[in-house]
Every structure is written in C-alpha cells, then in structure tokens.
Amino acid sequence: MKIKRILERTVPISRYADPSIPSGGLDTSIVAVVTDRIVDGAPIVGYGFASIGRFGQGGLIRERFAPRLLAAPDCLGDPPDPFRAWRVMMTGEKPGGHGERSVAVGTLDMAIWDACAKAAGLPLYRCIQRHLDRESEIESVPVYAGGGYYFPEDDGARLRDEMQMFAANGFTHAKIKIGGKAIAEDVRRIETAMDVLGGGDCLAVDAIYSYDHDEALAAADEIEQFGLWWFEDICDPLDFETIAAVIERYRSAVAVGEAQFSIPDARNLIRYSRLRPDRDILLFDIAHSYGLPEYLGILRMAEALGWDRKSFFPHGGHLFTLHAVAALGLGGAEINPHNFQPFGGLTDDARVVDGHALPPELPGIGFEGRTALADLFHDLLKEAGR
Ligand code: MG
C-alpha cells in the first residue's frame, strides 16, 4: 500500500459544549492520509488529529513530516506496517528538543494506523494487537468522564448539572478542574462533584499546572481529606521537585505525564518526581508523544522500572486512545463526552455501562461512527478535490 496524498487543516475546538462560552482560541490539526488501496471503489483514507490541548501543528506537518512520507511512497510496505512509516518520519531527527514536533508526528501516526487497520479490515485495537503479537479477547475498558471546567457564570449549579449528566450516561468516575480559583472555592467544586458521584474515590481533580511550590503543598493538604481518585497536573510539568514534595506528604494518588512527550522525558519524570508505582497514575498522551511507537517505548521503560501497565490512563478522551487502552490492557481511558467536539467521545451509537466502554468494531479507529467528525474529515477530502 502506498501513500498518495496527505491533506491537513487546522480546526478550532472548545473545551465547552456551550458555544456561547469562549474557547480560548484552542485548535487542533486534522489530517487525511490517502492511499492507493481501493476498497468498494474508493481509496482507503486514514484520518488523524493532534489530540487536544496542544494546538494545531500544520507547519511541522506540511513542511517536514508529510514530505518525508510522500518522498518515500513505499514507506508502509506490504502488508502495511505503521512502524516502517514512523521510522521514515523520524529520519534525521536528533534526540532531545522534543518541543511539539512529537505532536505533528503523532498526528500523522494516528492516521497511518487508521489506514493500516482499514487495509486489514480490522478495528484498530485488533490491528495493534496483531502487530504486537498479543492477540486476545479484549475486556470492556474502565472509562471516566473528563470535564468539569470552570463555568463563567453559575459555576456551582452548572458543574452539578454536568456531573449529573455524566452519571445519567453511565459514568461512575469523572475529572474536574481546580487551581483556577481560591482553594475554598475549589473545595466547594470538589464537594459538589463528590455529592453527585458518591465519593472522593470516584473523582479526579486536574489543576492544569497552576500551582507554584507553596500553593501545591497547601492544596495537597487541603484536599487530602477527600481521598480523591487522583490529583493531576499539580505544578509545572518539569518541576519534579514540587511533585516529589507533594508526594512526600500526600497519601492519595497523583497523576502526571500529560506534558511529557518522549521516552527520556517520561523516564526523568518517573525517576526524579519519586513517583510511587503502587498508586500514582501515568497520563502520557499517545498522539502528543510521537504516536504509538514511542508510547510503546514509554510503556516498556516504565515496566522495566517496576510499573504495572494498569497505572497508565492515557490523556485524550477520544477513540484512538480507547482502542490503545483496550489493545494494550492499560488501566483505563478518559472520555470527553461533550467537550472538545467533534473529537471527544465514543461513536454515536456507543454507550458507557457502569463506567466501562468498548471500542467500535468498525475497520480502523471508527471515526466514521461519529457523524460530526466524519463530516469534518470528508470536508477535508472534498476541499482538496480528492
Ligand atoms: Mg490534565
């Protein structure tokens, strides 16, 4: 199978379902990898996007990584092998200086996996398993609802409504944001969410790196009483000293890794933050971390340091992540039921049951099972004249 064309566009996304609330200018890249393999009269096209939270990466995709793939049209081989194409993309890249080139590579890697799974006629999780020689029946994946962003008005009431919506849709666990207001106000948010979900062990909080050293310790002391599921993104992601200081006094789990995009960065985080393999959570985002090949390296590295793969809850909240969690037997997956649309969430007909979900059985990632997302990708093809 050969790659014929690569299309790319930057599109806006919002962390809010309510379009009247400003999105903060966040966007992401979408890509389409068009192949020469024809099925039912149309070429197989793999789709990917730059996950969420790190903006679009169109420049790097257009100028550097897509041209490398197009200059080596046989890079997939036959049968198609995503690892081969990944090595082509990484040709000449030096170690270190990961920046956000890892996001550009991960975006294309997602689309390549989608195309390869479609070529094999397999759902992505099965395709991943086949490439790794670990084919087995998958179990329903533990999932949690990501959300709980601050509402500019009526925050308490709207947060309660959001948590009730999650619970009504089958979620047993959820994650909300803290760190953007005074701790007393965040404690009220935590109590509101716990009240709906039924306890602290069902609730994770994400501070989105907002605390300095002293604030992090004060917040940890304040929320310790709730026995939360986990405390995420406490301080600057490279401030290992503060993470270690929190861990020294905070007994419940902390969650880290969403902003570490490579094996060496992940290794440093684990080593120097003094993370605890018996409880702490690793959030590395697959698409932000050069895609699945690098993520598998992170997984192997952590396992060699004594971590269980059940400690991995990859960031993202979308279908690609859900497939990877199912295929690799990781701890669980985030789902964004209503924010970061049309990327967040399951296929239109899928349901969360008692906090668990299965990836779709459609060939590939199954983006075609999300109407709004399929329309977005089809627009990209149409605009380019296919
Ligand atoms: Mg986070």
Side-chain angles (χ1 to χ4, degrees):
M1 187 165 80
K2 291 185 169 61
I3 295 176
K4 303 275 282 185
R5 305 176 69 191
I6 297 175
L7 312 170
E8 134 331 289
R9 188 199 289 171
T10 301
V11 297
I13 51 171
S14 176
R15 56 181 58 87
Y16 292 102
D18 180 348
S20 72
I21 303 176
S23 71
L26 190 61
D27 56 30
T28 190
S29 291
I30 59 172
V31 295
V33 171
V34 183
T35 73
D36 68 343
R37 182 73 55 87
I38 306 294
V39 173
D40 296 334
I44 289 177
V45 182
Y47 298 111
F49 72 102
S51 194
I52 53 167
R54 288 286 157 177
F55 294 93
Q57 303 294 330
L60 282 166
I61 291 169
R62 277 193 308 276
E63 294 173 8
R64 189 146 130 212
F65 295 107
R68 274 185 206 156
L69 292 169
L70 293 167
D74 290 325
C75 62
L76 287 169
D78 233 327
D81 178 1
F83 293 96
R84 274 180 59 143
W86 189 83
R87 288 192 291 274
V88 168
M89 275 196 284
M90 294 299 288
T91 304
E93 295 294 321
K94 286 181 181 170
H98 302 285
E100 290 186 356
R101 73 175 174 186
S102 59
V103 183
V105 173
T107 305
L108 290 165
D109 178 72
M110 188 191 296
I112 287 166
W113 276 99
D114 188 39
C116 291
K118 284 170 176 166
L122 296 172
L124 176 65
Y125 74 85
R126 187 70 72 196
C127 178
I128 294 171
Q129 288 186 324
R130 186 168 287 185
H131 277 279
L132 299 180
D133 266 340
R134 54 171 286 147
E135 282 183 87
S136 62
E137 286 309 306
I138 58 161
E139 293 174 4
S140 195
V141 172
V143 295
Y144 71 92
Y149 287 90
Y150 292 100
F151 292 98
E153 287 170 24
D154 300 326
D155 183 58
R158 294 188 75 173
L159 179 67
R160 178 176 292 277
D161 288 347
E162 187 182 9
M163 294 300 121
Q164 285 172 338
M165 185 269 284
F166 290 159
N169 283 289
F171 289 98
T172 56
H173 291 65
K175 183 163 79 185
I176 66 168
K177 306 307 169 189
I178 63 167
K181 303 275 182 182
I183 189 68
E185 198 165 324
D186 284 337
V187 163
R188 280 195 291 277
R189 303 191 100 236
I190 290 169
E191 288 172 340
T192 296
M194 282 174 50
D195 187 42
V196 177
L197 296 170
D201 57 350
C202 300
L203 178 68
V205 295
D206 182 349
I208 320 185
Y209 319 115
S210 56
Y211 297 129
D212 66 19
H213 186 87
D214 292 344
E215 291 166 344
L217 298 184
D221 289 347
E222 192 67 34
I223 66 174
E224 176 88 68
Q225 59 179 311
F226 298 116
L228 296 174
W229 195 26
W230 72 63
F231 181 16
E232 170 174 330
D233 298 339
I234 299 165
C235 56
D236 187 283
L238 297 178
D239 185 355
F240 301 153
E241 194 179 345
T242 293
I243 300 169
V246 168
I247 281 173
E248 206 170 297
R249 64 209 278 158
Y250 183 74
R251 288 185 296 277
S252 302
V254 304
V256 293
E258 188 182 314
Q260 267 75 23
F261 296 164
S262 69
I263 297 167
D265 282 340
R267 186 189 294 117
N268 280 343
L269 173 72
I270 289 171
R271 276 184 183 159
Y272 300 115
S273 301
R274 302 196 197 131
L275 301 179
R276 301 159 295 189
D278 68 340
R279 74 195 75 174
D280 294 326
I281 300 296
L282 302 172
L283 301 165
F284 310 112
D285 184 308
I286 303 169
H288 288 170
S289 304
Y290 294 99
L292 205 50
E294 183 86 0
Y295 188 82
L296 292 168
I298 292 174
L299 192 56
R300 283 191 293 271
M301 174 275 296
E303 286 184 317
L305 292 175
W307 286 75
D308 190 289
R309 57 179 59 202
K310 295 292 182 195
S311 304
F312 282 71
F313 281 70
H315 173 260
H318 46 73
L319 287 171
F320 180 73
T321 301
L322 184 66
H323 278 283
V325 171
L328 302 173
L330 307 181
E334 181 178 17
I335 301 285
N336 284 310
H338 67 108
N339 45 17
F340 303 110
Q341 294 306 309
F343 302 98
L346 304 169
T347 49
D348 296 339
D349 59 352
R351 294 288 171 269
V352 175
V353 178
D354 196 22
H356 288 69
L358 283 164
E361 289 295 325
L362 296 165
I365 299 170
F367 289 145
E368 289 78 2
R370 288 184 63 74
T371 307
L373 184 51
D375 289 348
L376 187 65
F377 284 128
H378 291 157
D379 273 357
L380 176 65
L381 281 185
K382 219 185 304 170
E383 190 182 75
R386 196 151 188 171

